[in-house]
């Protein structure tokens, strides 16, 4: 066997080994890219699912619900395409069933000025709405939604945020009412009423405004009664003074 022939065999072997190494590396790169893509999709789904589950049902709009459901569904479909195992397919079908159902419209709780029981719940909701606004800004920058849709949802998030802030003010006013007179606290309620009235699109907040207005009327009656009792007491004091020539 000539040296030239041996050299050719060696070069051929090296070429085969290089080719095999290239194929193996290409497979590893694609596998790594696939796993990274799956991780990115699952992270995005967790974030959107957290928003969907945490958003107070009485505050979430159909637009917000639809956006989050569509965002999650698209990424679940992508996961199944990359990794069509039974677990992923089950998650996909279960969420599609959930997304197809229309969320129940909740009415404002009768007899309550706020949709929250306490300030802790209200502040938690404030955080969720703020997080949602950041989410919309992020997917808007990535062109995952149209610019006009991002703008509309951002305005909607701001409106809900302002509404929750008013609810916090109402809760605080109620706490003040427990220790202060009606004259002191009624101004807080009137301020909340005016702010909420400016957010009342399509009369969606009529019930809450009614509850606040009713409470303001009750406080006004208490103030009038207190003033009348005070006036009568002053007159009685004057009459007593005259009787004894004071």
């Amino acid at each position: 066997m000539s040296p030239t022939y041996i050299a050719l065999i060696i070069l051929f072997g090296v070429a085969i080994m290089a080719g095999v190494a290239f194929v193996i590396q290409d497979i590893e790169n694609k596998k790594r890219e696939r796993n990274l893509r799956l991780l990115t999709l699952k992270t995005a789904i967790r974030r959107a699912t957290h928003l969907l589950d945490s958003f107070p049902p009485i505050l979430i709009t159909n637009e917000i619900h639809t956006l989050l459901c569509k965002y999650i569904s698209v990424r679940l479909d992508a996961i199944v395409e990359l990794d069509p195992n039974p677990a992923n397919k089950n998650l996909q079908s279960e969420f599609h069933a959930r997304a197809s159902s229309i969320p129940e419209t909740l009415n404002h709780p009768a007899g309550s000025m706020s949709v929250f029981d306490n300030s802790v719940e209200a502040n938690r909701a404030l955080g969720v709405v703020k997080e949602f606004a950041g989410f919309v800004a992020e997917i808007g920058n990535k062109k995952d939604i149209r610019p006009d849709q991002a703008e509309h949802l951002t305005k909607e998030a701001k409106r809900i945020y302002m509404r929750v802030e008013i609810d916090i003010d109402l809760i605080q006013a109620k706490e003040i009412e427990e220790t202060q007179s009606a004259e002191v606290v009624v101004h807080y309620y009137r301020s909340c009423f005016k702010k909420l009235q400016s957010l009342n699109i399509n009369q969606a907040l009529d019930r809450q405004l009614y509850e606040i207005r009713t409470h303001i009327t009750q406080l006004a009656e208490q103030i009038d009664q207190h003033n009348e009792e005070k006036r009568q007491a002053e007159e009685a004091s004057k009459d007593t003074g005259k009787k004894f020539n004071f």
Side-chain angles (χ1 to χ4, degrees):
M1 185 178 294
S2 66
T4 302
Y5 187 73
I6 294 173
L8 288 174
I9 293 176
I10 293 173
L11 287 174
F12 182 72
V14 170
I16 291 176
M17 292 177 63
V20 171
F22 176 81
V23 171
I24 293 174
Q25 186 61 46
D26 185 58
I27 292 173
E28 286 298 320
N29 288 340
K30 288 181 178 179
K31 183 178 180 181
R32 191 179 298 110
E33 290 175 4
R34 171 179 170 276
N35 290 339
L36 181 60
R37 177 61 177 158
L38 284 170
L39 179 62
T40 301
L41 288 168
K42 290 178 180 179
T43 300
I45 289 172
R46 278 196 298 270
R47 183 183 181 190
T49 302
H50 162 71
L51 289 170
L52 184 61
D53 293 340
S54 302
F55 217 105
I58 198 169
L59 298 180
I60 196 169
T61 63
N62 287 334
E63 291 87 353
I64 293 174
H65 183 269
T66 300
L67 169 76
L68 292 172
C69 286
K70 184 176 181 180
Y71 182 89
I72 295 169
S73 294
V74 168
R75 279 146 188 81
L76 278 172
D77 293 345
I79 285 178
V80 170
E81 185 176 348
L82 288 170
D83 185 14
N85 65 58
N88 288 336
K89 288 183 177 180
N90 285 337
L91 287 174
Q92 180 191 40
S93 60
E94 287 174 3
F95 188 80
H96 282 180
R98 174 185 177 183
S100 64
S101 62
I102 300 174
E104 180 184 359
T105 301
L106 299 180
N107 297 320
H108 182 84
S112 174
M113 289 182 288
S114 171
V115 298
F116 304 103
D117 293 331
N118 52 64
S119 58
V120 174
E121 287 184 6
N123 279 295
R124 187 181 298 118
L126 211 60
V128 173
V129 177
K130 186 176 181 179
E131 185 180 349
F132 174 76
F135 171 78
V136 171
E138 184 178 315
I139 64 176
N141 291 334
K142 292 179 179 178
K143 309 299 182 184
D144 288 336
I145 55 175
R146 302 188 313 273
D148 61 318
Q149 187 181 10
E151 182 180 1
H152 171 74
L153 288 165
T154 299
K155 289 181 179 178
E156 185 71 6
K158 288 180 178 178
R159 189 186 72 82
I160 296 173
Y161 191 91
M162 292 172 64
R163 179 184 176 184
V164 177
E165 286 186 320
I166 294 169
D167 268 65
I168 291 175
D169 289 341
L170 287 166
I171 293 170
Q172 292 175 344
K174 190 65 177 177
E175 293 172 353
I176 293 172
E177 184 181 348
E178 294 175 357
T179 58
Q180 301 291 330
S181 63
E183 289 92 338
V184 173
V185 78
V186 71
H187 303 294
Y188 291 98
Y189 288 124
R190 285 172 178 162
S191 175
C192 291
F193 183 88
K194 289 179 181 178
K195 291 177 183 177
L196 193 65
Q197 199 170 33
S198 67
L199 301 177
N200 191 21
I201 301 174
N202 298 327
Q203 290 73 53
L205 305 178
D206 279 358
R207 180 67 196 193
Q208 188 172 10
L209 287 167
Y210 166 80
E211 296 291 351
I212 299 171
R213 184 170 54 246
T214 299
H215 194 69
I216 291 174
T217 300
Q218 293 172 349
L219 289 177
E221 291 174 353
Q222 292 178 24
I223 293 171
D224 289 342
Q225 182 179 354
H226 174 75
N227 290 337
E228 178 61 22
E229 291 174 353
K230 184 177 179 181
R231 184 189 65 79
Q232 291 178 2
E234 290 175 350
E235 289 182 356
S237 178
K238 290 179 182 179
D239 291 341
T240 302
K242 290 177 182 179
K243 180 178 180 181
F244 292 98
N245 298 319
F246 287 164

